[in-house]
Amino acid sequence: MRPLHTFFGALLLSISVLTPAYGADADATAVPTSPVITSSRGILKPKDILSTSTSIPETVYRPGIYQVGTDLPAGEYMIFTLTNGIKGSYSVLSDLSDEAQVLDHASFPYNSIVTLSEGQVLKLTRCSASPIAEVPQIDHFYGNMYKIGYHIPAGTYRLKRAKNAQAGVAFTLAWPSNTYDCVIDYMEVKDNAVITVHEGEYLQLEDCLLASTASAEDIKHYRIPTASETAIAEEEALKRQQTSPILVSGDLVAGLSTSTSKPETIYPADTYLVGSDLPAGEYVLLSTGEEPGVYMISDKADPDKHDDLVDYGGIQTDAIVQVEDGEYLTFENATASPIEEVPELDYRSATEFKVGVHIPAGTWYFVTDDPDNTGIVFVMSATRRQYKDMISMKYIDTTPVPITLEKGQYLLMMNCRFTAQTSSVSGPGADLASGVNSAIQTLLDAIKQFGA
């Protein structure tokens, strides 16, 4: 197979700008610096027990890939982003093989905690790792994750919503992981809230921060029910909401899956002759997470010009393709599986869905979290991103926009997300009879290059 870069060199170069990289001169020997003065300068009351400084460890593993037991010992590690305000991310893989499973993954603005076992692989991106024994203190003005009984004592604490966030979420975990089965409970933090944590648990904060130890007055004014305390009244909704293998912050939407299926049939990145190497039909392409992926469908095994392509696109998280006998499907940095083996996509990260398979038909609401860049939702009649297949288009801003979807349609999202909020004004949408065909096709072409 000819490498995709011979055909998509410029395309991949464009995509690469979407993936931030840490600078070569980044100082990975220290955790992000806190501008908050430490308690020795009198910022904290004497009775308070929250640290305003983060320990600087002696052992620091820079961004890279490490095999546990060979490159670093098994055990518990603190993970810190290299630059305050720029999210770092880590992945824990089962091994070094091409078929390795992703056991855990998270991105975070300041810190996280992970436990590593012999033989696993740790991948660090824009972050560093240090043994937890060397980091007994976390600056509570920035901390995202704490070990109870080590970083902070068991007790009741007041939480506050992070600045510029609509709402936060606080999770109590049985062990440090971003897989749902470790979640003990969680609560939404709309402004202030109080939470009680116990020895040996872990506290994970998304878009909220520890404010102080909770006083009796705090408990009286700010206590809200946790998810488990409302489970009887919302049992069915919680079954849908609490199945995620990856924890992300708030705005949970009932009726949508928070997990992505694990298919049995997986085609690794390569070129496949449809009807010979794999059956005709619909496939879900899932990004491997290493870098943005690309795919193309062609009548030739080795296309040498754009006109040879039937379809092509970028893959940020997922894409759906339909292929027929005699066509060639080529993709990189992704896997392909029959759509029937991927009936669920985590709605908080996926960008393309088939209505009636991944999401139910009905009216859903969409918002963007970026006030400076408008989001777009395309409703398509087919998987191939062409204007003739477009049913409707809506521009999405920070006010929820309702869109009604029917079974068999395809939903393509760009710079926006689902929301549980329903107070809305109808978005401006697109007038399909207003002569904007070429402009909309330009947008579809942009999605082809950059992924939704």
Side-chain angles (χ1 to χ4, degrees):
M1 180 189 72
R2 184 179 64 170
L4 273 179
H5 64 258
T6 60
F7 191 86
F8 279 117
L11 185 70
L12 289 172
L13 181 61
S14 299
I15 292 173
S16 68
V17 303
L18 300 177
T19 307
Y22 52 88
D25 59 348
D27 181 8
T29 62
V31 298
T33 303
S34 169
V36 181
I37 302 172
T38 62
S39 56
S40 63
R41 296 288 296 275
I43 293 298
L44 293 183
K45 298 176 182 178
K47 67 176 183 179
D48 218 325
I49 54 177
L50 299 179
S51 175
T52 52
S53 63
T54 295
S55 306
I56 298 179
E58 292 185 4
T59 306
V60 177
Y61 295 93
R62 297 175 60 88
I65 298 176
Y66 300 88
Q67 185 164 26
V68 182
T70 302
D71 303 318
L72 82 176
E76 203 166 16
Y77 287 82
M78 297 293 298
I79 313 290
F80 286 101
T81 183
L82 295 184
T83 306
N84 219 2
I86 299 179
K87 285 189 175 183
S89 67
Y90 73 83
S91 297
V92 179
L93 309 177
S94 58
D95 52 56
L96 284 170
S97 70
D98 293 337
E99 293 76 30
Q101 290 184 315
V102 179
L103 305 177
D104 197 6
H105 172 80
S107 60
F108 47 89
Y110 190 75
N111 81 289
S112 190
I113 303 174
V114 66
T115 298
L116 303 173
S117 300
E118 198 87 10
Q120 293 177 345
V121 174
L122 174 65
K123 180 180 179 181
L124 301 173
T125 304
R126 298 183 299 280
C127 60
S128 63
S130 297
I132 195 170
E134 297 183 17
V135 190
Q137 289 186 317
I138 300 174
D139 186 338
H140 80 96
F141 285 90
Y142 292 87
N144 307 130
M145 195 167 183
Y146 303 82
K147 184 174 184 177
I148 311 305
Y150 183 65
H151 297 120
I152 59 174
T156 301
Y157 294 86
R158 182 166 68 88
L159 305 175
K160 65 178 180 180
R161 174 178 51 84
K163 189 181 297 184
N164 300 325
Q166 292 183 343
V169 181
F171 298 92
T172 50
L173 311 176
W175 63 86
S177 174
N178 268 35
T179 55
Y180 175 72
D181 51 4
C182 70
V183 176
I184 298 171
D185 214 340
Y186 70 89
M187 66 166 57
E188 186 176 17
V189 183
K190 292 184 177 179
D191 191 6
N192 289 276
V194 294
I195 190 168
T196 299
V197 290
H198 304 91
E199 189 86 13
E201 294 176 349
Y202 294 80
L203 176 63
Q204 179 169 308
L205 304 177
E206 301 279 354
D207 291 328
C208 59
L209 300 167
L210 280 173
S212 66
T213 52
S215 65
E217 198 68 15
D218 290 333
I219 295 172
K220 178 180 177 181
H221 287 291
Y222 299 133
R223 192 186 188 289
I224 59 175
T226 64
S228 63
E229 291 169 332
T230 59
I232 295 176
E234 301 179 353
E235 182 177 357
E236 292 305 314
L238 289 175
K239 284 180 181 178
R240 294 189 293 268
Q241 295 171 355
Q242 297 180 347
T243 56
S244 177
I246 300 176
L247 299 177
V248 298
S249 59
D251 204 5
L252 298 172
V253 181
L256 298 180
S257 176
T258 52
S259 64
T260 295
S261 304
K262 295 182 178 180
E264 292 185 5
T265 305
I266 299 176
Y267 295 93
D270 207 334
T271 294
Y272 296 88
L273 174 59
V274 182
S276 175
D277 302 326
L278 83 175
E282 278 187 295
Y283 290 83
V284 177
L285 305 180
L286 297 174
S287 169
T288 55
E290 298 167 357
E291 56 184 85
V294 290
Y295 73 87
M296 65 180 183
I297 302 170
S298 174
D299 292 328
K300 296 182 178 180
D302 194 18
D304 55 8
K305 60 182 183 296
H306 189 278
D307 290 344
D308 292 335
L309 295 181
V310 176
D311 192 22
Y312 71 94
I315 309 167
Q316 286 297 314
T317 55
D318 69 300
I320 302 173
V321 297
Q322 171 87 40
V323 290
E324 300 175 359
D325 286 341
E327 293 180 335
Y328 290 87
L329 172 63
T330 302
F331 52 93
E332 281 193 351
N333 298 322
T335 61
S337 297
I339 195 169
E340 57 268 20
E341 294 188 21
V342 191
E344 293 187 347
L345 291 171
D346 189 332
Y347 79 92
R348 298 164 302 179
S349 56
T351 56
E352 189 168 350
F353 306 83
K354 184 173 184 179
V355 182
V357 176
H358 303 117
I359 57 176
T363 299
W364 302 96
Y365 289 78
F366 302 83
V367 295
T368 180
D369 295 317
D370 185 354
D372 297 323
N373 291 289
T374 301
I376 303 175
V377 169
F378 293 97
V379 180
M380 311 291 290
S381 62
T383 62
R384 297 183 179 179
R385 300 170 182 179
Q386 300 175 9
Y387 177 77
K388 66 181 180 63
D389 298 322
M390 189 177 70
I391 298 170
S392 67
M393 182 188 81
K394 287 275 190 179
Y395 292 108
I396 309 298
D397 55 24
T398 54
T399 302
V401 175
I403 296 177
T404 299
L405 303 171
E406 297 179 2
K407 185 176 180 180
Q409 294 175 343
Y410 296 85
L411 175 69
L412 185 61
M413 300 163 58
M414 188 175 185
N415 192 39
C416 59
R417 61 177 175 83
F418 288 92
T419 179
Q421 302 172 37
T422 57
S423 58
S424 69
V425 294
S426 182
D431 183 355
L432 301 187
S434 64
V436 295
N437 302 28
S438 61
I440 294 174
Q441 186 60 58
T442 299
L443 287 172
L444 290 171
D445 288 342
I447 293 174
K448 286 176 179 290
Q449 293 187 38
F450 298 112

